Amino acid sequence: MIVLEGGHTDHKAISNTIPINHLSNREPEINIHDPNDQNLIQGFNGDMSLQDMYNKEGDFDDEDDSDWEPLEKHLTIVKWFCVNCTMVNGDGAFYCHMCGEHKDSGILRHGFLASSSEDADSIQNASLKQNGKSEASCSKTLAPHKSTAVGFDDRMLLHSEVERKSLPHPERPDRLRAIAASLATAGIFPGRCQPISAREITREELQMIHSHENIESVELTSQHVASYFTPDTYANKDSALAAKLAAGLCADLASAIYSGRAKNGFALVRPPGHHAGVRQAMGFCLHNNAAIAASAAQAAGAKKVLIVDWDVHHGNGTQEIFEQNKTVLYISLHRHEGGKFYPGTGAAHEVGSMGGEGYCVNVPWSRGGVGDNDYIFAFQHIVLPIADAFAPDITIISAGFDAARGDPLGCCDVTPAGYAQMTKMLSSLSNGKLLVILEGGYNLRSISSSATSVIKVLLGEKPENMLENVVPSRSGLQTVLEVLSIQSNFWPNVGPIFSELQSRWGSYIFQEIKKRKRSRFVVPVWWKMGRKKFLHHILTEQQLRFNSKRRKKILWL
């Protein structure tokens, strides 16, 4: 873990804490005026990062520029960051060039129900706002016993990145604000759901999942203004509290659902958790919330726990924690691309070890743009058959919504209706004992609409636009067949499914070609740039080479 002094660092991830001077309780400052500032260029061997070039105004060489006369001596670059997707836009624009959100969007007041095309404080359906207010006003009397429980605490909003960078960090407090605003506007929470009180997870509970090293390193962050576990995984002085509250809420929800005190539940928590392993915090994650919830459910009496992870990134931490455990079945659907997509783990042949073989099921998509059809198809032919054979006592969803349409990191195409249908399918397991835990998701409109659709299913509403007779893409079908061929060695009931799909291969390919001809989907250019790896290279100041002999003013808009 790296602890920062000031707002700029070389971001070299190391395993042990580096003792440095104590930080002041003020926002870090970056010197952008001195071109010879060694704090900015040390260690780059003449190169500069994108962050450096963004921060430094003026020339980037030592040439004599007396012949150059700017129109204005002090040129001010005005820009705004999209509240929905964090992308930077010029002051002359009123709509985000990436996602189309208005500059003065009300998404943090009304969530996805806010109009995306107006600067006024308006929502898409005025009647929803009124209904939401009336339902919310009687929240204490409408929520029955054994209702859907929601775990939320606004102290988790204190976890935020202190260091100023060229782009806001995608894992930001506004993620929870947008979902909470959507639920409040729709009258769902408060209103139709049962709130639960938050508590900090105990050290003893954490030790069931994490090593002493992980627990201590997270706790140490409370002594510093800013610190980093990895270049993209930040912490501030309130992050340890937020992580313990998130874990405590997940543990209590799992216990309440298994014991019958709640019908099902949604953990509206951050920081996320599924990348956090036994020893390490990484991938925006500090403690593994889903693993802690599984442990709490087993402490309450559950013999077998199913974790389904539909976050677009593989939950390498969760897999590591349970890869030798036959009492927890971990199923993950994620972008993989032969290990090129973050975090690089989660290939189909990773099935568990040391007696836990078959209790890790990975569905690794080979490309981006994967949508509802492929996900539902995989649920029908892999997830549900294996889950039925496992017969879990409680089901936990690691619900990242970064595979949603419009997400800048996931670049996939799952809709709110798709998430709702997957939730409905999983609610048939474990006698309906289902806990949904928020993981990733970085487009506020996508994450809030998807989360709202999932909670409506938990409340008993039927999903809209249920997909039937699903036809997968060719690559999706290939992935499903690969997984079935491997998992049939451990789950005999999927063997016939594998044989049937093989025999129908030609039919599926023919239907998929016809579907393409009917509707050709053009992938936006920014999808090709939207990999987590690419965006994080910007966020973590990846070194960029430039021609120092070519004098030029660089304005990053």
Side-chain angles (χ1 to χ4, degrees), residues 122-431:
S122 60
I123 59 177
Q124 296 177 21
N125 189 330
S127 63
L128 276 174
K129 186 174 183 180
Q130 294 302 321
N131 291 338
K133 287 183 177 179
S134 62
E135 290 185 39
S137 64
C138 54
S139 60
K140 298 300 182 181
T141 59
L142 285 182
H145 186 57
K146 290 188 177 181
S147 66
T148 295
V150 172
F152 173 73
D153 190 292
D154 56 12
R155 287 175 290 176
M156 291 182 290
L157 302 175
L158 298 174
H159 171 64
S160 62
E161 187 174 39
V162 174
E163 185 187 7
R164 292 181 294 177
K165 294 185 177 179
S166 57
L167 288 175
H169 198 287
E171 205 298 284
R172 59 202 192 277
D174 286 349
R175 298 172 64 242
L176 293 195
R177 292 189 180 104
I179 298 176
S182 298
L183 299 178
T185 301
I188 294 174
F189 179 76
R192 299 168 60 190
C193 298
Q194 168 189 345
I196 70 167
S197 300
R199 68 170 177 91
E200 297 180 40
I201 197 79
T202 66
R203 178 176 289 269
E204 291 71 26
E205 290 171 298
L206 286 175
Q207 288 173 341
M208 299 298 294
I209 298 299
H210 293 295
S211 67
H212 174 78
E213 177 184 3
N214 170 273
I215 298 170
E216 287 298 318
S217 63
V218 173
E219 193 63 34
L220 182 61
T221 64
S222 62
Q223 302 177 22
H224 303 280
V225 172
S227 51
Y228 282 82
F229 295 93
T230 66
D232 64 358
T233 306
Y234 65 81
N236 63 16
K237 61 184 179 60
D238 298 305
S239 297
L241 171 63
K244 288 187 289 186
L245 288 170
L249 279 167
C250 292
D252 289 350
L253 278 166
S255 178
I257 293 167
Y258 177 75
S259 64
R261 288 178 281 121
K263 178 183 176 182
N264 49 42
F266 189 99
L268 184 53
V269 296
R270 62 180 294 275
H274 72 149
H275 292 308
V278 175
R279 296 177 178 82
Q280 80 282 0
M282 62 174 288
F284 311 167
C285 304
L286 306 188
H287 294 318
N288 196 305
N289 300 319
I292 290 167
S295 176
Q298 291 185 322
K303 302 298 182 183
K304 294 184 289 184
V305 179
L306 167 64
I307 300 177
V308 176
D309 188 339
W310 67 42
D311 189 283
V312 79
H313 305 99
H314 178 243
N316 57 303
T318 309
Q319 177 173 296
E320 177 200 1
I321 291 167
F322 294 118
E323 65 181 349
Q324 301 176 17
N325 192 329
K326 299 175 67 172
T327 66
V328 177
L329 171 62
Y330 178 65
I331 303 178
S332 176
L333 305 92
H334 51 271
R335 278 185 70 177
H336 185 254
E337 300 180 20
K340 296 179 181 178
F341 195 76
Y342 185 91
T345 55
H349 61 77
E350 297 176 24
V351 297
S353 62
M354 302 293 290
E357 290 84 357
Y359 291 88
C360 177
V361 180
N362 285 304
V363 183
W365 305 124
S366 61
R367 61 174 180 83
V370 182
D372 292 349
N373 281 10
D374 284 340
Y375 273 84
I376 300 301
F377 189 82
F379 263 62
Q380 292 171 338
H381 296 89
I382 298 175
V383 177
L384 289 186
I386 294 178
D388 282 331
F390 180 65
D393 297 314
I394 185 173
T395 300
I396 297 171
I397 303 176
S398 270
F401 296 111
D402 41 7
R405 177 178 295 172
D407 190 273
L409 271 63
C411 306
C412 286
D413 199 38
V414 181
T415 68
Y419 285 118
Q421 184 166 346
M422 289 188 285
T423 305
K424 181 65 175 178
M425 297 169 80
L426 292 175
S427 67
S428 64
L429 304 168
S430 315
N431 293 318

Side-chain angles (χ1 to χ4, degrees), residues 488-511:
S488 61
N489 297 315
F490 312 105
W491 304 96
N493 65 318
V494 301
I497 299 174
F498 175 61
S499 299
E500 180 187 2
L501 290 182
Q502 275 189 315
S503 66
R504 296 170 59 189
W505 170 270
S507 172
Y508 276 121
I509 294 303
F510 178 71
Q511 292 182 56

